């Protein structure tokens, strides 16, 4: 089955009993046992729920994994995966990972003596240089937010193998439609499914997929022990979102490419960051490991004042955090998603006050361009 077909026919897509073509929402916490310990497959919904199970099967399929897991949020997924590590272990992570992942590592898990180093993982030498005797895992996000930096996943897989590290990839920005890290050597792929996979700004959720039965067993044990599971209603919403993921990603990318072309020509716009651009750092790697470049664009208008003016003037780009939905969203990383990073560190990373990030939606691109035109001024 090819990717687009899997989104419709992958996983468990029907109800065996009734033939219902949409998986029913099993709004249930516990299950009748036919005798003590004689289960019909389910015992308690933290451990397993048929609606969640259907979703978990489809994400495993989409990522070419063997097992999937659904969590109450992307952060719940990441936290649970981190529980695979022990106190005293060290983990190497992409330096501009999602802010919530940075906070989890530096403000929460650091208290349990989980050590970390944040490095520019687009540079393999820096990754090698950061590995210590207690390094147990490598956590990569690619493309990153908001500069869309690219890390070579095959190269990271080699490093992970050489040093016997657990190789984890946050695939939120690319989605399984454009990038399949398990095929490139990752052990664990995870998502904030709140973003593209859900796709409609209506559900907070996280997904994990793996290809080893041994890892799957350990993650299921942790999922059940930690208990941050996704409820049946939200599981159903994600499955509904997944059915149109391919269509949305294609539409979003087509719009993104046109918007990038427009922005490049605008005299008020400086640098434009989009992995599909030939001059984008890591473009060649993106081209080799991604089937498409996605719908996230960042661009610099030179000053915080102009950036705020643009954000005030746009009509079709909703000013909001988050990304990956059918509606176009716009944000100012320096004042929003990355506000907690000190100004000098932000400057070091290249996140200036005039940097605007957009998550392109599926609107008519002519409306989006006209809107940007009136907001950017002439
Ligand atoms: C949003 C996001 C997360 C966190 O997911 P939540 O669903 O908000 O908990 C993790 N990683 C990336 C790349 C994200 O964009």
């Amino acid at each position: 089955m090819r990717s687009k077909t899997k989104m419709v026919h992958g996983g468990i897509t029907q109800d065996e009993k009734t033939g219902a073509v949409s998986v029913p929402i099993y709004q249930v916490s516990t299950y009748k046992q036919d005798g003590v310990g004689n289960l019909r497959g389910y015992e308690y919904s933290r451990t397993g729920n048929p609606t969640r199970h259907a979703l978990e099967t489809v994400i495993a399929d989409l990522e070419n994994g063997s097992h999937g897991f659904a969590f109450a949020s992307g952060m719940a997924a990441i936290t649970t995966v981190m529980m695979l590590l022990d106190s005293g272990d060290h983990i190497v992570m992409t330096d501009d990972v999602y802010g919530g992942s940075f906070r989890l590592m530096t403000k929460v898990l650091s208290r349990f003596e989980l050590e970390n180093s944040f490095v520019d993982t687009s540079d393999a030498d820096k990754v090698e240089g950061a590995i210590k005797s207690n390094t147990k895992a490598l956590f990569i996000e690619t493309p990153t937010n908001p500069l869309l930096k690219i890390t070579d996943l095959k190269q990271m897989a080699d490093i992970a193998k050489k040093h016997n590290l657990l190789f984890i990839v946050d695939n939120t920005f690319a989605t399984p439609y454009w990038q399949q890290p398990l095929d490139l050597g990752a052990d664990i792929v995870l998502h904030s499914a709140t973003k593209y996979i859900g796709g409609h700004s209506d559900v907070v959720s996280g997904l994990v997929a793996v290809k080893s039965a041994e890892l799957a067993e350990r993650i299921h044990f942790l999922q059940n022990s930690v208990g941050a599971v996704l409820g049946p209603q939200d599981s159903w919403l994600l499955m509904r979102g997944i059915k149109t993921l391919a269509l949305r990603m294609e539409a979003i990318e087509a719009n993104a490419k046109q918007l990038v072309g427009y922005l490049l020509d605008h005299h008020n716009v400086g640098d434009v960051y989009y992995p599909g651009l030939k001059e984008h750092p890591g473009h060649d790697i993106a081209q080799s490991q991604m089937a498409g470049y996605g719908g996230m664009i960042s661009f610099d208008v030179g000053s915080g004042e102009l950036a705020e003016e643009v954000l005030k003037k746009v009509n079709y780009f909703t000013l909001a955090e988050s990304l990956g939905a059918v509606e176009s969203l716009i944000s100012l990383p320096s004042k929003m998603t990355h506000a907690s990073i000190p100004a000098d560190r932000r400057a070091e990373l290249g996140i200036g006050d005039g940097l605007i990030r957009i998550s392109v939606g599926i609107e008519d691109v002519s409306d989006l361009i006209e809107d940007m035109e009136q907001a950017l001024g002439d």
Side-chain angles (χ1 to χ4, degrees):
M1 230 190 278
R2 292 170 180 84
S3 205
K4 269 185 184 163
T5 311
K6 278 187 193 169
M7 285 168 194
V8 179
H9 295 289
I12 298 163
T13 47
Q14 313 205 340
D15 183 39
E16 290 268 310
K17 239 186 200 141
T18 63
V21 286
S22 159
V23 175
I25 299 171
Y26 284 89
Q27 192 69 55
V28 60
S29 61
T30 192
Y31 305 80
K32 178 181 186 291
Q33 305 190 4
D34 293 331
V36 179
N38 190 2
L39 311 171
R40 299 184 200 173
Y42 295 94
E43 57 183 319
Y44 185 62
S45 280
R46 169 160 40 70
T47 316
N49 171 284
T51 314
R52 193 179 91 218
H53 181 60
L55 167 66
E56 293 176 331
T57 313
V58 78
I59 189 61
D61 263 9
L62 292 180
E63 290 286 8
N64 293 329
S66 61
H67 297 76
F69 304 92
F71 296 90
S73 68
M75 289 320 302
I78 295 171
T79 304
T80 305
V81 164
M82 289 299 171
M83 296 291 118
L84 288 165
L85 300 170
D86 292 318
S87 127
D89 285 354
H90 173 253
I91 176 165
V92 175
M93 297 178 78
T94 303
D95 57 0
D96 50 352
V97 278
Y98 177 70
S101 307
F102 184 81
R103 181 175 56 201
L104 174 72
M105 300 311 297
T106 56
K107 298 263 161 68
V108 183
L109 296 179
S110 54
R111 295 182 12 247
F112 299 88
E113 274 148 38
L114 199 59
E115 282 179 52
N116 44 63
S117 299
F118 293 93
V119 301
D120 177 358
T121 52
S122 64
D123 183 339
D125 290 339
K126 286 193 179 147
V127 175
E128 285 267 12
I131 293 169
K132 310 195 286 186
S133 58
N134 59 338
T135 307
K136 293 289 164 61
L138 180 58
F139 185 105
I140 302 293
E141 197 177 307
T142 181
T144 62
N145 173 26
L147 297 175
L148 294 313
K149 275 166 71 174
I150 303 294
T151 293
D152 186 333
L153 292 175
K154 270 196 187 137
Q155 196 177 40
M156 292 301 116
D158 290 343
I159 294 176
K161 207 174 203 174
K162 183 169 144 202
H163 298 276
N164 204 15
L165 312 178
L166 192 63
F167 179 24
I168 307 160
V169 177
D170 183 335
N171 203 27
T172 300
F173 271 43
T175 81
Y177 189 57
W178 293 139
Q179 177 169 277
Q180 293 170 323
L182 296 181
D183 287 349
L184 301 169
D187 298 305
I188 299 175
V189 57
L190 54 86
H191 291 274
S192 167
T194 311
K195 317 292 168 54
Y196 287 109
I197 292 183
H200 296 74
S201 305
D202 53 13
V203 58
V204 172
S205 52
L207 294 172
V208 169
V210 298
K211 60 182 171 190
S212 118
E214 186 261 340
L215 254 183
E217 200 179 313
R218 288 171 65 201
I219 292 175
H220 183 251
F221 176 82
L222 290 169
Q223 182 191 37
N224 188 38
S225 302
V226 176
V229 294
L230 193 65
Q233 303 258 357
D234 288 348
S235 296
W236 186 87
L237 275 171
L238 280 195
M239 283 189 280
R240 183 180 166 118
I242 285 171
K243 287 177 190 177
T244 58
L245 179 61
L247 298 179
R248 287 186 284 111
M249 293 314 283
E250 296 279 0
I252 284 169
E253 190 182 65
N255 280 358
K257 283 182 170 160
Q258 289 206 45
L259 262 167
V260 165
Y262 166 78
L263 290 168
L264 283 171
D265 283 343
H266 200 288
H267 64 94
N268 278 344
V269 175
D271 290 332
V272 177
Y273 301 87
Y274 185 68
L277 285 172
K278 277 198 186 63
E279 50 283 4
H280 186 80
H283 168 75
D284 292 346
I285 296 159
Q287 195 175 34
S288 71
Q289 69 188 15
M290 302 176 78
Y293 303 107
M296 299 303 297
I297 306 167
S298 292
F299 59 100
D300 207 313
V301 295
S303 75
E305 292 76 53
L306 181 54
E308 287 198 42
E309 209 177 296
V310 170
L311 265 59
K312 225 177 274 161
K313 283 187 180 163
V314 285
N315 299 307
Y316 298 133
F317 292 85
T318 303
L319 175 60
E321 295 198 2
S322 197
L323 60 108
V326 290
E327 54 278 319
S328 293
L329 301 178
I330 193 162
S331 67
L332 196 58
S334 66
K335 291 254 168 77
M336 297 169 66
T337 45
H338 292 65
S340 62
I341 301 175
D344 48 342
R345 173 75 182 134
R346 264 207 318 271
E348 233 173 77
L349 292 170
I351 304 166
D353 293 344
L355 190 76
I356 294 174
R357 185 191 86 175
I358 53 184
S359 166
V360 181
I362 62 168
E363 300 92 339
D364 189 313
V365 74
S366 302
D367 285 326
L368 296 179
I369 288 174
E370 276 170 31
D371 194 25
M372 211 28 98
E373 181 112 322
Q374 62 81 27
L376 278 168
D378 40 37

